């Protein structure tokens, strides 16, 4: 029985967090610019009820996958692959 030592790179949580912050902050700010005038006078819990699903679904299905595709080399601490 042969055991291969195939070490996989360990993703950097700090790098992923920084990239997520850089993408999510302007996204949430833009949502708030649109949402706040439309929900003027609403209690904060009602505004959050609208904001949270939009934010979470966008992050899970669009922002996070795009960051992982585009910046996997950075997150995995590997040299950037140059396009031919």
């Amino acid at each position: 029985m042969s055991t291969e030592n195939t070490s996989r790179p360990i993703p950097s949580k700090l790098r992923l967090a920084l990239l997520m912050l850089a993408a999510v902050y302007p996204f949430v700010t833009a949502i708030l610019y649109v949402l706040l005038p439309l929900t003027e006078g609403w209690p904060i819990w009602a505004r959050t009820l609208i904001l949270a699903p939009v934010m979470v679904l966008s992050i899970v299905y669009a922002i996070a996958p795009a960051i992982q595709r585009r910046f996997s080399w950075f997150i995995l601490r590997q040299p950037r692959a140059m396009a031919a």
Side-chain angles (χ1 to χ4, degrees):
M1 187 179 252
S2 161
T3 58
E4 293 182 33
N5 186 8
T6 54
S7 62
R8 296 171 54 179
I10 299 171
S12 169
K13 291 181 183 180
L14 177 61
R15 290 179 179 201
L16 177 59
L18 291 173
L19 289 170
M20 291 294 289
L21 178 62
V24 170
Y25 176 77
F27 178 71
V28 171
T29 303
I31 292 173
L32 288 172
Y33 271 114
V34 172
L35 184 65
L36 291 179
L38 299 174
T39 59
E40 192 172 331
W42 289 24
I44 193 73
W45 66 266
R47 287 179 171 183
T48 307
L49 188 62
I50 302 293
L51 174 67
V54 171
M55 189 175 65
V56 169
L57 291 171
S58 298
I59 291 168
V60 170
Y61 289 105
I63 295 172
I67 286 174
Q68 290 174 346
R69 249 189 329 272
R70 178 74 173 92
F71 296 102
S72 62
W73 62 272
F74 180 71
I75 297 166
L76 294 173
R77 305 174 198 153
Q78 295 178 335
R80 185 174 184 182
M82 301 305 275

